[in-house]
Amino acid sequence: MWTAFVAGALAVAFVIILLLNLSTGEKKVTKPLPGRYSIDDPQFLLTMGTLFGPPLVDGNSVEDFQNGDEIFPAMLSAFRAARRTINFSAYIWEPGRVSDQFFEVLTERARAGVEVRVLLDGLGGLRAPGDKIKRLTEAGGRVCRFRPMRLGGLMRFHRRNHRRAIVVDGEVGFTGGAAIGDKWLGNASNPEEWRDTMVQVTGPLARSVQSAFVTLWAPSAGEMLMGDGHYPPHEPD
């Protein structure tokens, strides 16, 4: 009898603990919060930046590019103008015309002394051409893979890197939906040409894109990126 009682009590305790852990335990805001500052008050930006994440600062610019006809020329132009660093992260990297163009520019910049880093996803970047990777690394660039297939890592293999985090000299950033593959060529004028958008940002916004790259590069490559080449000082307007 006592055994059944203890077993029942333990079962009830287990269910209670389970239910408590399933609950978020977080209080929700259920009524409007009064606004204390108008949008033209400097305190408004300070407050919103503190409450919701990154600080809201001026000095940014944003330009969007539609489809491969606009996206790839803009990115390649920024790469050719690189003076110090190019950091590149994307999920898909497939062989073809786009891949050849990017490897050609990245390799040339590496030979010119620009620090070039490419983070390939361990699944989406499996088809990146090995001969082009070798040429880039021989020119001084670094190529690493995010969570490559290996024993002991199979339970995390499905957690892929879908970030498009591309930054030049810490000053010009690109992010959006496109990656490296010929399916993005053209202007989405037929079913074989994928429609997509990339956004170019400059100013403090580029630091946010840089952060998205660095947080995955550091554990993948064992290197922490520091200095003005990655985080140039920003003078407020």
Side-chain angles (χ1 to χ4, degrees):
M1 177 178 178
W2 281 105
T3 302
F5 176 78
V6 172
L10 289 174
V12 171
F14 174 79
V15 171
I16 293 174
I17 293 173
L18 180 62
L19 291 175
L20 289 174
N21 280 277
L22 289 176
S23 173
T24 62
E26 298 178 357
K27 294 182 179 180
K28 297 181 179 180
V29 178
T30 58
K31 54 185 178 181
L33 297 176
R36 297 184 179 180
Y37 311 104
S38 63
I39 60 173
D40 57 353
D41 189 319
Q43 189 58 233
F44 177 82
L45 291 180
L46 292 174
T47 302
M48 293 299 101
T50 301
L51 288 176
F52 299 113
L56 301 178
V57 296
D58 57 13
N60 297 294
S61 69
V62 179
E63 184 176 2
D64 71 289
F65 298 100
Q66 301 295 322
N67 306 322
D69 280 356
E70 294 183 359
I71 292 169
F72 295 134
M75 292 173 62
L76 290 170
S77 176
F79 287 1
R80 292 187 182 101
R83 305 180 309 276
R84 304 180 69 177
T85 60
I86 298 175
N87 296 327
F88 192 112
S89 170
Y91 176 61
I92 295 174
W93 194 303
E94 298 174 343
R97 291 165 53 195
V98 176
S99 173
D100 290 347
Q101 291 174 357
F102 274 79
F103 269 121
E104 179 182 359
V105 173
L106 292 172
T107 302
E108 185 278 326
R109 288 288 79 201
R111 289 200 184 101
V114 174
E115 297 180 18
V116 176
R117 294 171 177 84
V118 177
L119 182 61
L120 297 173
D121 183 77
L123 180 62
L126 279 175
R127 296 180 60 202
D131 58 331
K132 301 296 176 62
I133 293 175
K134 182 180 179 182
R135 291 177 189 171
L136 175 56
T137 56
E138 288 176 346
R142 290 199 64 186
V143 179
C144 289
R145 294 187 182 272
F146 176 80
R147 289 182 179 160
M149 176 75 79
R150 60 165 61 99
L151 292 177
L154 297 181
M155 296 301 294
R156 297 190 304 162
F157 187 72
H158 65 287
R159 300 178 184 176
R160 308 312 327 156
N161 170 31
H162 288 271
R163 298 180 184 181
R164 277 69 163 172
I166 303 160
V167 187
V168 177
D169 292 332
E171 298 175 339
V172 181
F174 291 90
T175 190
I180 303 301
D182 287 358
K183 57 174 67 77
W184 281 282
L185 284 171
N187 195 32
S189 57
N190 60 67
E192 283 70 44
E193 297 177 357
W194 284 23
R195 191 214 69 77
D196 229 316
T197 300
M198 292 290 282
V199 176
Q200 175 183 298
V201 299
T202 62
L205 277 173
R207 295 181 184 175
S208 298
V209 182
Q210 190 79 287
S211 177
F213 176 86
V214 170
T215 53
L216 295 186
W217 177 263
S220 300
E223 178 188 23
M224 182 61 70
L225 304 185
M226 295 178 286
D228 290 353
H230 302 285
Y231 304 103
H234 170 67
E235 296 296 334
D237 293 341

